[in-house]
Amino acid sequence: TTKAPVTVAPITASPVTSAPVTASPVTPAPVVSEPVTASTTTPTSVTPVPVTPAPVSAIPTPAAPAGVIEGGDECIAPVGSVCSVCGEGKCVQNPTNEFAIAGYPTISCGTLQDVGYQGMIAVDQCKMVPTLADQKCGCSTKATPSS
């Protein structure tokens, strides 16, 4: 490798001129000292008000029937529904009929459909429900009738 020669530039003493600095006039604001006096108002007393919590039910309020569609007659499961107890694309037609499986409490077909849509029926159990619900709940591709 060959090294290039280094040339040193000459240093010159150029005159440094500073920019003129002009001090702007500063006018201080007048300070007025007001005398401090005691307040003439009397403080109001605070009366504690008892707090009554709003009543809350331990039993959740059921949602509107899931298969009911305003102005339509086609059964459409709500978005995000987990288990269609009548099977894909079918809704309960007899929501007031009672549905019973051994070992479980008897519930209406409409409630069964709602709890299925809300995910309260395990997916593995949901697979067997449509064959049991079809006749009793009158499953159809029509929307669930309003009760």
Side-chain angles (χ1 to χ4, degrees):
T1 2
T2 11
K3 293 184 181 181
V6 177
T7 310
V8 179
I11 298 175
T12 59
S14 356
V16 177
T17 36
S18 57
V21 177
T22 314
S24 57
V26 177
T27 310
V31 177
V32 179
S33 174
E34 294 288 327
V36 177
T37 57
S39 175
T40 57
T41 59
T42 54
T44 57
S45 61
V46 177
T47 307
V49 177
V51 177
T52 306
V56 177
S57 173
I59 302 169
T61 306
V68 176
I69 300 160
E70 295 294 326
D73 59 355
E74 181 183 356
C75 173
I76 299 175
V79 174
S81 59
V82 178
C83 173
S84 177
V85 297
C86 282
E88 192 68 36
K90 291 184 176 182
C91 287
V92 168
Q93 296 302 299
N94 303 320
T96 57
N97 281 7
E98 290 189 346
F99 182 84
I101 296 179
Y104 293 94
T106 300
I107 61 172
S108 72
C109 289
T111 302
L112 178 70
Q113 177 171 261
D114 291 342
V115 298
Y117 284 155
Q118 294 168 13
M120 294 181 193
I121 299 174
V123 176
D124 60 328
Q125 292 177 343
C126 181
K127 294 174 185 175
M128 67 177 172
V129 176
T131 55
L132 302 170
D134 191 42
Q135 291 289 320
K136 189 69 175 174
C137 298
C139 296
S140 168
T141 56
K142 294 181 182 178
T144 301
S146 302
S147 23

